Amino acid sequence: MTAVDDARALLASLTDAPPAGVWSAPGRANLIGEHTDYNEGFVLPFAIAQRTAAAMSLRDDDLIRVRSTFSSTGVDVSLADLDARIAAGGLDWAGYPLGVAWALRAEAPDATPRGLDIAVASEVPVGAGLSSSAAIEGAVASALNDLWDAGLDKVSLARVGRIAENDAVGAPTGIMDQMASMLGVADAATFLDCRTLATRPVALGFAEAGLQILVIDTLVEHAHSSGGYRERRASCEKGAAAFDVAALRDLGVDDLPRAAEILDDVTFRRVRHIVTENQRVLDTVAALDADGPRAIGDLLTASHVSMRDDFEISVPELDLAVETALSSGALGARMTGGGFGGAAIALLDSELVPVATEAVLTAFAAAGFRRPNIFTVTPSEGARRDV
């Protein structure tokens, strides 16, 4: 059973009305470029095969009912009351689909909102740094765009998802996750300039090179709306203000000596991570274009070191996952996602995947950590209509 099948089955249990369709969007793994998105910098994520599906039926009234296979809590809200319910908060997971409806209505004033029954099912692990939230947003936004005749393109729908996450849910994230989920291309990453929203696919060629991306989900759950994420963002804004620039995107590696002079130690290290991470993204794109995926391992590992030491968003489980993958022969490894938990990724020769998996399981057991969830991901297609 796929997420599409599960969403259809859930919708059938919710209403006798005929389904209007099923739409899905993927989670994403970020190859490199962490916390650079809200600093108007560069990122290089790719959509994964694990998807979230939204099955929908039209209603004759203005009620929106949302249900999911992963929560016993559903929400019913009328279109007339949607603004008030979003403002009141406390919607839990339903804040994502309802936030999309709220944001899309504002972004597409010529749309024709109608009542809906919405059934959501997901294959994307929650809390693993694989952007399960953006997958919900992408699936629902794609569906509402069709059913409400909104006429928005995929970049605009990504923007709708970010507005939902920032303003309806209260998570101060950038737009990387939504763009990756909407614009994913099979066997490619999406190189995104977060200032201009210009994108281009970058061929990855993992399978051709005999490589795989292994995801090590530590099962240490994180929350983007938590204080640590907000504190990092505030430090970045403080650093940009000290240089009187719009965002840290405007600083380069040559500016770091000056930054060390005028910033306190913590702010400097936060700035150094963003500046060097932007450069690592550019270097990774260049290496993929020129030399292929075997050339990027050291950049991935350097990214983890920067997040661990300068941005201080790693946790012991993530560090152990990275260290063990590297000692098992990974070309490179790093935590992925917002940090404070979630998952690490490792770039491995395909034949080493079982070896690395067993080594990580053994290391986690020896450390007394919870048994991680370990699986491979494949660069895949973005949001689409399935039925």
Side-chain angles (χ1 to χ4, degrees):
M1 294 283 283
T2 66
V4 170
D5 296 325
D6 290 342
R8 293 180 75 176
L10 178 60
L11 184 67
S13 72
L14 180 62
T15 177
D16 293 330
V22 185
W23 294 256
S24 70
R28 67 97 189 95
N30 193 20
L31 189 62
I32 195 164
E34 223 64 77
H35 288 260
T36 48
D37 56 349
Y38 57 80
N39 288 287
E40 299 184 13
F42 305 104
V43 292
L44 191 64
F46 61 89
I48 61 177
Q50 291 83 347
R51 304 181 73 85
T52 293
M56 300 199 184
S57 290
L58 293 165
R59 296 177 58 88
D60 294 329
D61 54 23
D62 77 339
L63 190 67
I64 298 179
R65 298 195 298 171
V66 291
R67 303 290 188 273
S68 79
T69 59
F70 48 82
S71 174
S72 59
T73 303
V75 174
D76 300 353
V77 59
S78 69
L79 287 167
D81 294 335
L82 185 58
D83 289 357
R85 288 298 300 273
I86 293 295
L91 292 169
D92 193 32
W93 76 271
Y96 294 100
L98 290 175
V100 166
W102 170 77
L104 189 143
R105 193 167 60 172
E107 289 292 297
D110 294 330
T112 55
R114 295 181 58 182
L116 297 162
D117 288 323
I118 302 175
V120 179
S122 184
E123 304 158 348
V124 184
V126 176
L130 298 176
S131 201
S132 57
S133 58
I136 294 174
E137 292 155 3
V140 173
S142 298
L144 297 188
N145 192 49
D146 288 350
L147 297 179
W148 288 359
D149 296 319
L152 299 179
D153 60 22
K154 287 194 170 187
V155 173
S156 298
L157 293 176
R159 189 179 296 111
V160 164
R162 181 186 61 180
I163 293 169
E165 188 130 357
N166 290 174
D167 299 337
V169 178
T173 59
I175 200 170
M176 172 184 68
D177 297 349
Q178 293 81 9
M179 291 287 282
S181 185
M182 292 302 304
L183 298 171
V185 175
D187 198 31
T190 299
F191 177 43
L192 168 63
D193 180 333
C194 294
R195 171 168 284 173
T196 66
L197 299 188
T199 64
R200 76 169 175 92
V202 177
L204 292 173
F206 291 150
E208 185 178 355
L211 300 172
Q212 291 193 58
I213 290 284
L214 188 69
V215 175
I216 304 162
D217 179 3
T218 66
L219 303 181
V220 178
E221 291 195 10
H222 64 179
H224 276 168
S225 54
S226 65
Y229 194 102
R230 292 182 183 277
E231 289 169 7
R232 298 309 184 279
R233 186 159 187 165
S235 290
C236 293
E237 292 167 354
K238 180 179 178 181
F243 276 86
D244 194 26
V245 294
L248 293 182
R249 150 70 173 273
D250 297 307
L251 302 185
V253 174
D254 291 344
D255 293 305
L256 291 177
R258 175 62 177 157
E261 293 177 359
I262 67 173
L263 300 173
D264 63 86
D265 177 65
V266 170
T267 305
F268 167 67
R269 288 187 290 110
R270 305 297 188 249
V271 169
R272 181 167 61 185
H273 166 69
I274 299 301
V275 170
T276 57
E277 187 80 344
N278 272 325
Q279 187 60 53
R280 280 186 290 270
V281 174
L282 297 175
D283 291 345
T284 299
V285 171
L288 286 166
D289 286 342
D291 302 308
R294 290 187 173 274
I296 67 172
D298 288 347
L299 291 161
L300 302 183
T301 304
S303 173
H304 182 77
V305 171
S306 181
M307 290 184 287
R308 182 192 67 200
D309 298 343
D310 278 353
F311 224 58
E312 296 182 290
I313 54 174
S314 190
V315 296
E317 290 88 344
L318 287 169
D319 293 337
L320 182 59
V322 168
E323 292 159 7
T324 307
L326 291 171
S327 66
S328 301
L331 299 177
R334 63 187 287 274
M335 58 149 284
T336 187
F340 309 104
I345 59 171
L347 180 63
L348 288 153
D349 283 287
S350 296
E351 63 267 24
L352 292 180
V353 167
V355 175
T357 298
E358 186 59 35
V360 171
L361 292 173
T362 300
F364 270 57
F369 294 153
R370 186 177 177 184
R371 181 183 175 91
N373 185 24
I374 305 177
F375 52 94
T376 58
V377 289
T378 302
S380 300
E381 181 185 357
R384 67 188 183 216
R385 183 170 187 164
D386 295 271
V387 178

